Amino acid sequence: MTSVDEPARPHGNGRLRDAARTRAEILDVATQEFARVGYAGARVDDIAARTSTTKRMIYYYFGGKEQLFTAVLERAYGVIREAEQRLDVEHLDPVAAIRRLAELTFDHHEQHPDFIRLVSIENIHEAEHIAASEKLGRIGSPALDVIRRILASGRESGLFTADVDAVDLHALISSFCFFRVANRHTFGALFGRDLVDPDRREHYRTILGDMVIAYLTAERSAD
């Protein structure tokens, strides 16, 4: 890791505000650049050139390209985790609650295509940055706790019959939402249909909820 002395900055609260703004600007540009050209293709020089700061400042705040990419991932995952934490479904019945949770994931993935690209890139690198990040290791998924409570309520009421745990259901919901954004171009080229066409948005949003609920509530034999 490159060692860089702290550049001269204003004192007091102004210094803290400037530091926060600078970090946020670097992360904004780095997110776009990593999503655009991947981890291997991104260059710190190019990121610095697109900000109002310098390469020296990027090294000071983040340490280098690898640490910067990790910070980008941490912030990207933090956005959806915060949305999950704000989700209030305790007043809903299990069917409505699970639909609302699925819609949250659908909306987030559609609104944050860079998140989809970053996750795809990190999978190419076999999640090495996520595995090395203490922050991401602790962040978990608030959605899993919500899903567990909804599943327990649905089974207790007799509505849910599926033998599925929270992680499996999270994967089921995420897979549809992720595919729709990540594969829109190849799917469109092959089948002539744009999966993120605004005119079909509610159609796909409804399909997701219906699919999850149908799976959870399907009649099953006793054996």
Side-chain angles (χ1 to χ4, degrees), residues 120-137:
S120 298
I121 291 163
E122 180 65 352
N123 273 286
I124 291 172
H125 292 273
E126 300 180 348
E128 62 180 84
H129 302 91
I130 290 177
S133 168
E134 292 184 9
K135 184 174 181 179
L136 285 171

Side-chain angles (χ1 to χ4, degrees), residues 91-134:
H91 62 292
L92 300 175
D93 66 78
V95 169
I98 208 68
R99 184 183 289 275
R100 181 67 194 93
L101 180 66
E103 290 171 348
L104 171 72
T105 305
F106 182 98
D107 294 344
H108 172 272
H109 285 17
E110 178 183 74
Q111 294 163 9
H112 298 84
D114 281 353
F115 173 75
I116 304 300
R117 297 187 187 99
L118 291 169
V119 173
S120 298
I121 291 163
E122 180 65 352
N123 273 286
I124 291 172
H125 292 273
E126 300 180 348
E128 62 180 84
H129 302 91
I130 290 177
S133 168
E134 292 184 9

Side-chain angles (χ1 to χ4, degrees), residues 198-218:
D199 292 336
R200 296 181 65 84
R201 181 180 188 275
E202 288 306 315
H203 169 73
Y204 289 124
R205 202 168 184 257
T206 300
I207 283 179
L208 171 63
D210 289 350
M211 175 177 65
V212 173
I213 292 166
Y215 172 69
L216 290 174
T217 61

